[in-house]
């Protein structure tokens, strides 16, 4: 007898963020629609606190990494708080204008093939009066970095989120930010670079969802970075879209024959998302091999994951099972227990190996960034490389010793970003203590 | 060796025996004994102030390397600690911690410890608050929260980021809640911070104190500068003070917005209140019932180099403060006791964080020096014997009404923590009850005035404007309240109806500090009107602090008033003195025209005239300069010395800015023919600068005449070269060849260097080979010209290569090279070779080093070492001061022995470039005239860089002429001690190694006159004493020559070092010395002598007698200003060295400082 079995594995979206998602979906702006990463790319990220603080959380980098699992792409975060297009924060003991040379040298030192430029937020405080100088600064920087032959991605500055008093009302300032963003977009178009506007705040600085993305108006929280990461991943995914929030189902009509059917909604994306194989009935249930084609973003940070029952998660729907209670084992490890009825409706799967792997990946990215930070911006630079180097400069031998440690993490990242197959098994529990 | 010294040595020997554990693993490498880490051994070594005892509150292993500590309102002690310092190792995971130490049973010892946060990288600051704690974590200021109350942080927020990390003992530190609810934190000299806020980016490159309101993200710089401001605290009335771990001026009064030493872009700085002090870390104001009356209001800080916890008494001094050091709370010879923080606790006791490390610093001592301790640390608790402790207040969970009552507590701790709890409770809960509490305050209560101030601060803390209480406080009967309330006005300016009107009466308040605060507050309400009002302060008496405050305000508001003045629409209500003060403060070319019109109208007040003339001469155009030129031509118009310096300023204007005064330039001939040598020299310089060809013959005449003064001759020769032309050159060459004296020849050769250095080098080499011994010093005239040119040393070296010179001549030349502060290996080698001298010894091998170190401890004699240190030929005191007396080019040495390991001292002397103290790196500046200037950056003005050269002179270099600046190494010449025998070197190092350690070589807290000048035994001095009276010498010593003589570390001027002036006939030989003192507030004071036996005493030239009832004291009544104390003694009658100190009389308003420096 033929039985129809349907297994659906997918993600549910966080309800509170539907608004955010929609705001995002309509706007990814790329001047070059065909823009994509290439195998072997080395991305240098430059800018102010927005860029610098990303390395603390790693969400943006994780999104870009998992969106390109089959390409080797490495990232070097060279962000510096308070920085401007002239590199003013990098000037150290020298006059402010010396920062520009530092900026160019620092970018050159990482041998980039892609340069992601995230300036404009700090400059925007100078308003319209500073705009001309800023655009000239962009041109000067691109010109100075031309010898790298790198492709450019420009990120629009984020507006300020309006968090209400006692923090300042950002409306006026946000109009200036918009001016700068527009100027960057035009500049990007002119030189044939990519332009990305991730800004989630409107002129009024309102937050797209119910949860604030910054805690002071100007700097993203971990959740803020996580939210933006979804968008960035979409822009630079292998596919044109980055389907973290799509749901769908895959029906297996015949045992032994895996047929991937398109559901009316969005199965196109789903096709690329995962593979089921070796689906087989076992005496006590069902076993199949599952492999994602791409990892998904980690769960949102902090309490959100715990407190939001409807946060994004993997859902497993299996019908046509025999009556009874089942436990789900992944790679031999028990993950959950559920009745046939609940499985038919769909159960939430937490702590699956892919989720763990992507978190491990994010931690490796954070550690890599930290080691690289110790490498390129070591503490005590005055003694190691600066004007007191003839005293403690001997200690500078330690600095290149961070290189192999960074490489070690890169290897880890390269492995972790590739999904691996996992064996899922549903096993019917023996009724406890009595006959049925 | 004298008796007392022997005693000291024996004591040291015993202590060392107690403190040392023989056979420690790394003792081999250690040049000093690594002490026994047992806390009890350390505790027993403490010498405490009378009436105090100390117990161990907490120690390793629960606590490693505390960096800062602060209490929370529950009375728990939060400690930031770092094992990673000074530098993370490759592969090491940063896991520094914030600990909470609790004494639950109140027995004075921590009984519970929890790790609140970990995974940190060198957290240098901790301050609990806002439901968790703020932590300085290298580039970031973090806030950690413990939401589930398990004592461990579970949420992390980056509050601010972008703090620099150029030096890990400079990074963000000294977190502290202010009395005003603001969070204050500090950074040190090398740090460059770039902080983004929703209000824009804030930047600070250099030291300073930040001021931050977390809920509004308002971030401002409170004061700028200081090298390592590792201490900051405020007194009961909200006045802030800071200490400096490298600045050496004790307690600094924080005048809002002021610039202090090393501040970036500082044009003018404020100095500390205890110049010549050792360096300090941490700061706390003492208060509360547990301590006796005389200790309350005192401030404690830590001389961590000298292993001491120090105490200062602060008192009013005009608009500012005076500070006097008292006997220490704790001192010890235990080398690992490193007190770095001090706080009062909830029980009224004093808590001291002991970083516990034999090695401090990482700039001068290798990061990975195995002697560095990474695992230990202690918290000590000091209590007053026999006095009851304060009951620990229960604040968290108390009713709001109870918290308000706690604002009346005599303990600063309680009031401050109560305010924190109130703040976190929020305005909605607190404000109604606060209003009610204020209403019910009994104004008859003696402390009611202070309670109301606390209430006002609580409003400020909650950021709720209370205009009525503010207005009432601005009119309080207590000036301290008026001053404190004034500071609040700018914070509320947007929400007050007329903030400027509120600040107006304070500008003319009877109390100088209220005037100061008003002047500063007006700068924060920027407008033309604020400037207009602020300048009214000039109508009341000014002092150094007020002058600084007003100067700052005038500059900060200049964009409001200066354009109005230039347009002729505003003149500070017709008060020239106000206008002149403001214009001078701005000091840019924009102010020249307005000043000149005042000059021409004769409206410049007399006492402002001189600086105004200089300013016009410096910044004006040709016409402006012409006015000054015309003025100085007239004899008797202004004093001769001023005429000369104005003329020099004019000459420099043509050199630096190519501006020549309009007018009859030939008229300068009159000055060239005058009688004053200095003025003649200046005139010659001007002639060269302005290229007045018609005066060439007169210059030639002056250059060659045998009776021309040296100064005039040098200028005339240089001017001839500047005039240019074949004729000039020929004449100068003739003088170089055949001038009547070696002086003429050398000055002519020197002048020739600037036009043809190569040829001059050849002539110089030839000239040197025929120079007679008595004229050797003249060779330096020429040498210095070569040294100030980029190619000079090389050219000279080439010309000398084939010469053969007398060894003694070469020694003179080598000393000249040393004095230049430049490292010139090629020229040095050439000279050494042509003089047949042997090369400098190489660096010590490790074996030699350890033998040397052993000998320092074994046979080094500090007393002999001190005598060597004072020897003129060694020139130590030319550059280094001890307790502020001596040169200022090099680091001050009063605590060097307690801070630096002996190997560091040895290296510093034998290889000065190996390690250089921060802030003492030389700078080489190349200017557009092809010259090089070497010196330590001292400060900068709007238009000039000011260097201090190896001769301790200030060199002013206009920015417009600077082509390149490069950091260089040490100004200290190598080979200074080569003339010493090894035994002498050992003695010298031993002396240095004792400086600052407990014993005879730690500087006394007595306010001793350490900087003296002795009358030189010149024929003129003999003549003056013989022909006139001693009184007239004491009155007008200026025309005679005086040489520096400094007190010993113990404070006495050795009579043997004072030149003997022989008198005619049977009169006994005589010695005469003088010292100066600055009086900031007038009143009665006393001078205390070891004895006045055989001394004749003058103050400002007036004979002064000792007190009849106690002959060791002299009572004086002094007015503000500088005063000179002169002493003469008959060498047969006076046998004792002279030791003299300032004694402030209780109740006297007088504030006096002995003048220090070179």
């Amino acid at each position: 007898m033929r039985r129809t079995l349907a297994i659906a594995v997918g993600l549910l979206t966080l309800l509170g963020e539907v608004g955010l998602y929609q705001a995002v979906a309509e706007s990814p702006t790329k001047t070059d629609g065909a823009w994509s990463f290439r195998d072997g790319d080395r991305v240098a990220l430059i800018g102010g606190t927005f860029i610098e603080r990303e390395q603390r959380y790693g969400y943006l980098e994780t999104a870009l990494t998992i969106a390109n699992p089959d390409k080797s792409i490495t990232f070097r975060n060279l962000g510096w708080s308070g920085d401007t297009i002239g590199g003013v924060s990098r000037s150290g003991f020298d006059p402010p204008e010396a920062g520009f040379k530092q900026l160019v040298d620092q970018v050159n030192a990482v041998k980039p093939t892609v340069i992601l430029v995230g300036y404009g937020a700090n400059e925007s405080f100078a308003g319209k009066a500073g705009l001309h100088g800023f655009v000239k600064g962009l041109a000067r920087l691109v010109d100075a970095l031309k010898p790298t032959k790198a492709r450019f991605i420009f990120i629009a500055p984020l507006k300020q989120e309006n968090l209400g008093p006692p923090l300042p009302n950002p409306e006026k300032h946000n109009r200036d930010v918009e001016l700068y963003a527009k100027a960057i977009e035009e500049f990007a178009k002119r030189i044939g670079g990519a332009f990305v506007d991730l800004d989630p705040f409107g002129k009024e600085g309102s937050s797209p969802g119910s949860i604030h993305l910054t805690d002071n108006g100007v700097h993203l929280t971990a959740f803020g970075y996580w939210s933006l990461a979804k968008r960035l991943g979409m822009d630079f995914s292998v596919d044109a879209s980055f389907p973290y929030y799509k749901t769908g189902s895959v029906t297996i009509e015949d045992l032994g024959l895996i047929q991937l059917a398109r559901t009316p909604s969005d199965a196109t994306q789903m096709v690329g998302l995962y593979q089921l194989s070796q689906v087989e009935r076992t005496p006590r249930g069902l076993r199949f091999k599952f492999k994602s084609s791409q990892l998904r973003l980690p769960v949102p940070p902090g309490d959100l994951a715990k407190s939001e029952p409807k946060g994004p998660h993997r859902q497993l729907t299996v019908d046509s099972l025999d009556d009874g209670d089942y436990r789900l084992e992944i790679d031999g490890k028990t993950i959950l227990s559920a009745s046939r009825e609940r499985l038919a409706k769909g159960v939430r799967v937490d702590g699956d190996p892919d989720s763990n792997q992507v978190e491990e990946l994010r931690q490796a990215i954070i550690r890599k960034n930290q080691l690289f930070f110790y490498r390129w911006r070591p503490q005590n630079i005055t003694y190691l490389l600066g004007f007191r180097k003839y005293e403690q400069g001997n200690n500078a031998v330690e600095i290149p010793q961070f290189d192999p440690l960074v490489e070690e993490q890169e290897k880890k990242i390269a492995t972790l970003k590739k999904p691996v197959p996992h064996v899922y098994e549903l096993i019917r529990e023996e009724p406890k203590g009595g006959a049925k | 060796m004298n008796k007392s010294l022997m005693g000291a040595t024996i004591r040291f020997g015993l202590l060392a025996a107690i403190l040392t554990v023989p056979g420690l693993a790394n003792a081999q490498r250690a040049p000093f004994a690594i002490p026994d880490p047992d806390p009890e051994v350390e505790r027993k070594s403490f010498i405490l102030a009378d009436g105090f005892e100390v117990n161990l509150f907490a120690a390793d292993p629960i606590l490693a390397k505390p960096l800062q500590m602060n209490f929370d309102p529950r009375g728990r002690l939060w400690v930031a600690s770092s094992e990673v310092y000074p530098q993370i190792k490759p592969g090491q995971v940063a896991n520094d911690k914030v600990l909470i130490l609790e004494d639950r049973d109140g027995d004075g010892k921590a009984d519970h410890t929890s790790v609140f946060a970990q995974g940190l990288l060198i957290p240098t600051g901790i301050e609990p608050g806002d439901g968790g704690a703020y932590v300085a974590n290298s580039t970031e200021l973090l806030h950690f929260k413990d939401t589930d109350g398990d004592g461990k942080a579970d949420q992390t927020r980056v509050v601010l980021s972008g703090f620099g990390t150029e030096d890990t003992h400079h990074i963000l530190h000294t977190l502290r809640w202010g009395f005003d609810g603001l969070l204050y934190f500090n950074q040190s000299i090398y740090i460059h911070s770039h902080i983004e806020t929703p209000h824009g980016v804030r930047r600070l490159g250099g030291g300073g104190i930040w001021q931050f309101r977390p809920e509004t993200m308002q971030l401002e710089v409170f004061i700028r500068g200081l090298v390592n401001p590792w201490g900051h605290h405020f007194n009961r009335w909200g006045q802030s003070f800071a200490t400096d771990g490298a600045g050496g001026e004790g307690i600094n009064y924080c005048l809002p917005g002021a610039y202090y030493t090393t501040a970036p872009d500082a044009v003018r700085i404020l100095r500390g209140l205890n110049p010549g002090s050792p360096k300090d870390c941490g700061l706390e104001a003492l208060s509360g019932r547990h301590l006796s009356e005389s200790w309350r209001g005192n401030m404690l800080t830590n001389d961590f180099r000298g292993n001491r916890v120090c105490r200062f008494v602060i008192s009013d001094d005009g608009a500012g403060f005076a500070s006097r050091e008292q006997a220490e709370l704790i001192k010890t010879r235990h080398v690992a006791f490193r007190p770095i923080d001090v706080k009062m606790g909830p029980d009224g006791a004093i808590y001291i964080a002991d970083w516990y490390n034999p090695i401090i610093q990482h700039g001068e001592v290798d990061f990975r020096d195995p002697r560095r301790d990474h695992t230990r640390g202690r918290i000590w608790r000091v209590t007053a014997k026999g006095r009851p402790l304060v009951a620990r207040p229960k604040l968290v969970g108390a009713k709001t009404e109870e918290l308000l009552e706690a604002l009346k507590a005599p303990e600063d701790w309680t009031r401050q923590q109560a305010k924190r709890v109130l703040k976190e409770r929020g305005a909605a809960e607190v404000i109604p009850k606060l209003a009610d509490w204020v209403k019910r305050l009994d104004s008859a209560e003696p402390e009611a005035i202070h309670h109301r101030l606390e209430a006002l601060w609580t409003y400020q803390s909650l950021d709720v404007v209370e205009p009525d209480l503010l207005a009432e406080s601005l009119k309080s009967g207590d000036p301290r309240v008026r001053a404190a309330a004034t500071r609040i006005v700018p914070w509320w300016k947007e929400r007050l109806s007329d903030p400027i009107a509120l600040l107006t009466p304070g500008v003319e308040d009877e109390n100088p500090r209220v005037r100061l605060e008003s002047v500063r507050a007006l700068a924060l309400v920027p407008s033309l009107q604020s400037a207009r009002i602020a300048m009214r302060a000039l109508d009341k008496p000014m002092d150094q602090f007020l002058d600084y405050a007003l100067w700052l305000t005038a500059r900060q508001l200049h964009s409001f008033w200066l354009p109005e003045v230039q347009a002729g629409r505003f003149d500070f209500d017709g008060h020239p003195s106000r206008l002149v003060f403001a214009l001078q403060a701005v000091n840019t070319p924009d102010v020249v025209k307005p000043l000149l019109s005042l000059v021409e109208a004769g409206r410049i007040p007399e006492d402002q005239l001189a600086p105004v003339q200089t300013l016009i001469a410096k910044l004006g155009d040709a016409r402006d300069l012409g006015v000054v030129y015309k003025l100085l031509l007239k004899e008797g118009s202004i004093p001769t010395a001023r005429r000369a310096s104005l003329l020099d300023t004019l000459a420099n204007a043509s050199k630096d800015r190519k501006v020549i005064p309009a007018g009859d330039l030939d008229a300068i001939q009159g000055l060239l023919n005058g009688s004053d040598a200095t003025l003649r020299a200046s005139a010659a310089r001007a002639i060269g600068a302005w290229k007045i060809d018609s005066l060439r013959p007169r210059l030639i005449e002056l250059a060659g005449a045998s009776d021309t003064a040296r100064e005039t001759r040098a200028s005339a020769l240089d001017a001839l070269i500047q005039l240019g032309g074949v004729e000039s050159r020929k004449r100068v060459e003739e003088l170089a060849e055949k001038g009547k004296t070696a002086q003429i020849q050398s000055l002519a050769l020197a002048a020739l260097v600037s036009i043809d250095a190569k040829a001059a080098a050849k002539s110089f080499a030839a000239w040197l080979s025929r120079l007679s011994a008595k004229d050797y010093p003249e060779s330096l005239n020429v040498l210095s010209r070569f040294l100030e040119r980029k190619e000079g040393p090389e050219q000279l070296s080439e010309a000398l290569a084939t010469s053969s010179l007398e060894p003694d001549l070469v020694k003179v030349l080598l000393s000249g090279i040393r004095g230049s502060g430049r490292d010139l290996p090629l020229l040095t080698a050439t000279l050494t070779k042509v003089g047949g001298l042997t090369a400098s010894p190489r660096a010590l091998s490790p074996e030699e080093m350890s033998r040397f170190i052993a000998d320092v401890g074994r046979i080094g004699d500090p007393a002999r070492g001190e005598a060597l240190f004072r020897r003129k030929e060694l020139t130590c005191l030319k550059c280094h001061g001890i307790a502020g007396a001596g040169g200022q080019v090099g680091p001050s040495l009063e605590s060097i022995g307690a801070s630096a390991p002996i190997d560091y001292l040895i290296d510093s002397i034998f290889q000065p470039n190996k390690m250089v103290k921060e802030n003492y790196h030389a700078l080489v500046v190349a200017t557009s005239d092809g010259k090089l200037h070497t010196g330590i950056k001292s400060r900068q003005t709007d238009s000039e860089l000011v260097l201090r050269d190896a001769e301790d002179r200030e060199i002013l270099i206009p920015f417009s002429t600077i082509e390149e600046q490069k950091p260089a190494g040490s100004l200290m010449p190598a080979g200074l001690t080569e003339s010493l025998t090894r035994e002498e070197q050992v003695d010298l190092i031993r002396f240095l190694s004792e400086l600052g350690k407990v014993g005879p070589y730690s500087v006394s807290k007595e306010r001793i006159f350490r900087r003296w000048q002795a009358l030189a035994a010149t024929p003129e001095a003999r003549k003056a004493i013989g022909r006139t009276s001693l009184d007239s010498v004491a009155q007008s010593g200026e025309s005679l020559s005086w040489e520096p003589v400094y007190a010993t570390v113990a404070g006495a001027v050795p009579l043997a070092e004072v030149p003997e002036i022989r008198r005619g006939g049977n009169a006994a030989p005589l010695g005469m010395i003088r010292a100066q003192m600055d009086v900031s507030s007038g009143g009665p004071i006393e001078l205390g002598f070891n004895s006045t036996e055989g001394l004749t005493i003058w103050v400002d030239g007036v004979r002064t007698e000792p007190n009849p009832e106690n002959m060791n004291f002299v009572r004086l009544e002094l007015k503000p200003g500088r005063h000179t104390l002169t002493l003469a003694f008959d060498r047969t009658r006076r046998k004792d060295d002279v030791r003299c100190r300032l004694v402030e009389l209780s109740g006297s308003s007088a504030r006096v400082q002995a003048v220090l420096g070179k």
Side-chain angles (χ1 to χ4, degrees), chain B residues 711-769:
Chain B
E711 195 185 351
T712 315
R713 187 191 314 284
S715 295
L717 283 159
D718 287 339
L720 276 172
I721 295 298
Q722 264 191 290
L723 284 180
V726 187
E727 169 76 0
S728 281
R729 180 166 178 172
K730 207 180 94 203
R731 291 311 186 105
V732 178
E733 277 169 352
E734 275 171 25
L735 290 173
E737 184 72 20
K738 298 189 285 250
K740 279 179 219 141
T741 62
Q743 187 199 71
I744 297 177
Q745 294 163 6
S746 69
L747 291 174
L749 276 169
L752 288 168
V753 175
S754 66
I755 41 167
D756 189 348
K758 253 190 156 153
K762 266 190 205 143
S763 316
F764 182 44
W767 181 78
L768 283 174
S769 61

Side-chain angles (χ1 to χ4, degrees), chain A residues 44-268:
Chain A
L45 298 93
I46 53 176
T49 301
F50 169 61
I51 298 292
E52 185 189 64
R53 212 175 276 182
E54 207 288 313
Q55 63 193 295
R56 206 176 203 288
Y57 307 111
Y59 287 113
L60 299 182
E61 197 178 323
T62 302
L64 294 175
T65 302
I66 59 181
N68 298 278
D70 299 323
K71 294 174 187 165
S72 159
I73 306 173
T74 51
F75 298 86
R76 292 292 180 264
N77 190 319
L78 298 169
W80 200 316
S81 273
D83 203 27
T84 59
I85 197 75
V88 66
S89 292
R90 298 161 203 261
S91 55
F93 291 88
D94 294 323
E97 52 280 10
F100 183 71
K101 187 178 175 299
Q102 286 295 321
L103 172 59
V104 172
D105 288 353
Q106 286 158 5
V107 173
N108 280 328
V110 301
K111 302 192 174 64
T113 60
V114 174
I115 301 169
L116 190 147
V117 183
Y119 285 108
N122 295 325
E123 289 90 339
S124 70
F125 282 96
K128 213 173 183 172
L131 190 61
H132 181 64
F134 173 69
V135 176
K136 266 171 67 180
L138 275 172
R140 178 171 73 142
L141 183 66
V142 167
D143 204 43
L145 292 173
K146 217 166 241 163
T148 63
K149 299 201 175 81
R151 290 115 72 210
F152 282 90
I153 304 172
F154 297 89
I155 290 207
L158 301 188
K159 294 194 192 68
Q160 278 196 37
E161 185 176 15
N162 189 352
L163 299 178
L167 287 166
N169 183 321
E171 267 191 66
K172 189 180 159 292
H173 179 239
N174 281 349
R175 281 196 286 276
D176 288 331
V177 178
E178 209 155 74
L179 277 180
Y180 280 71
K182 194 158 258 154
I184 295 169
E185 184 175 5
E186 280 163 16
F187 179 81
K189 210 173 270 173
R190 207 156 61 234
I191 67 149
F195 173 74
V196 185
D197 189 350
L198 294 176
D199 185 68
F201 310 117
K203 270 194 192 70
E204 292 77 28
S206 38
S207 182
S210 59
I211 303 164
H212 289 303
L213 305 190
T214 71
D215 55 20
N216 60 13
V218 284
H219 297 132
L220 295 172
T221 57
F223 177 73
Y225 278 105
W226 179 83
S227 304
L228 259 56
K230 292 181 301 187
R231 297 199 47 192
L232 193 67
M234 285 176 62
D235 282 358
F236 294 98
S237 172
V238 272
D239 301 322
S241 60
F242 194 55
Y244 297 116
Y245 290 90
K246 308 291 178 179
T247 54
S249 67
V250 178
T251 309
I252 300 168
E253 291 186 325
D254 193 29
L255 281 174
L257 174 73
I258 298 168
Q259 209 170 15
L260 298 174
R262 297 183 174 200
T263 60
S265 59
D266 45 16
T268 336

Side-chain angles (χ1 to χ4, degrees), chain B residues 412-475:
Chain B
D412 291 356
W413 192 97
T414 307
R415 296 197 314 280
Q416 181 64 16
Q417 297 290 5
K419 252 186 296 179
R420 284 300 313 152
V421 180
L422 286 167
K423 156 91 190 176
E424 290 184 28
R425 217 162 263 193
E429 157 67 17
V430 175
I431 293 296
K433 291 171 179 157
L434 175 60
D436 190 48
W437 184 75
V438 175
K439 221 177 284 163
R440 285 187 293 103
L441 279 176
D442 178 3
S443 29
E445 226 182 292
E447 293 292 328
I449 274 182
H450 194 265
H451 302 338
R452 302 181 91 80
L453 180 57
E454 288 289 358
L456 186 61
W457 280 336
T458 308
Y459 277 106
Q460 190 190 2
S461 185
L462 290 160
D463 206 21
V464 173
V465 176
E466 215 298 62
D468 295 342
L469 186 58
L470 175 66
E472 180 200 305
S473 304
L474 287 167
K475 290 182 200 130

Side-chain angles (χ1 to χ4, degrees), chain B residues 62-169:
Chain B
I62 60 164
L63 174 71
K65 307 281 84 132
L67 297 178
Q68 200 200 355
M69 61 176 182
N70 264 311
F71 284 96
D72 69 9
R74 287 178 205 276
R76 301 182 299 180
L77 185 61
W78 297 59
V79 181
S81 68
S82 173
E83 299 176 41
V84 173
Y85 171 86
Q87 177 92 17
I88 191 150
K89 284 182 194 152
Q92 182 181 17
V93 175
N95 195 23
D96 289 335
K97 296 176 182 66
V98 169
L99 306 172
I100 307 177
L101 306 178
E102 268 181 276
D103 171 14
R104 291 189 184 165
D105 61 8
D107 67 349
K109 288 178 197 125
D111 42 34
H112 280 78
T113 311
S114 52
V115 177
F116 177 72
Q118 49 194 333
L120 300 164
L121 176 64
I122 316 186
T124 32
I126 168 78
E127 178 69 294
D130 294 339
Y134 291 89
V135 177
N137 186 46
S138 291
T139 57
E140 305 167 320
L141 177 69
L142 302 178
H143 186 261
F144 288 97
K145 241 182 188 163
D146 168 17
T147 55
D148 57 10
D150 67 351
K152 288 188 174 61
D154 45 37
Q155 278 184 14
T156 312
R157 184 161 68 88
V158 183
V159 182
L160 296 169
S161 63
F163 296 98
T165 59
E166 290 89 335
D167 182 334
T168 48
H169 68 244

Side-chain angles (χ1 to χ4, degrees), chain A residues 49 53 56 81-82 89 92 122 125 160 215-216 219 379-380 382-383 388 390-392 394-395 398 405, chain B residues 86-87 91 138 140 157 161 165-168 190 192 196 198 203 362-363 366 368 913-914 916 918 921:
Chain A
T49 301
R53 212 175 276 182
R56 206 176 203 288
S81 273
S89 292
N122 295 325
F125 282 96
Q160 278 196 37
D215 55 20
N216 60 13
H219 297 132
Q379 298 191 313
N380 287 315
T382 320
Y383 302 100
R388 291 183 72 174
Y390 54 87
E391 293 170 77
Q392 299 307 326
N394 56 318
N395 286 294
E398 290 180 1
L405 301 173
Chain B
Q87 177 92 17
S138 291
E140 305 167 320
R157 184 161 68 88
S161 63
T165 59
E166 290 89 335
D167 182 334
T168 48
Y190 291 168
H192 298 81
E196 294 179 14
R203 303 184 196 274
H362 63 280
D366 197 286
R368 308 300 179 210
N913 270 322
K914 191 168 167 194
V916 185
E918 64 206 17
H921 282 78

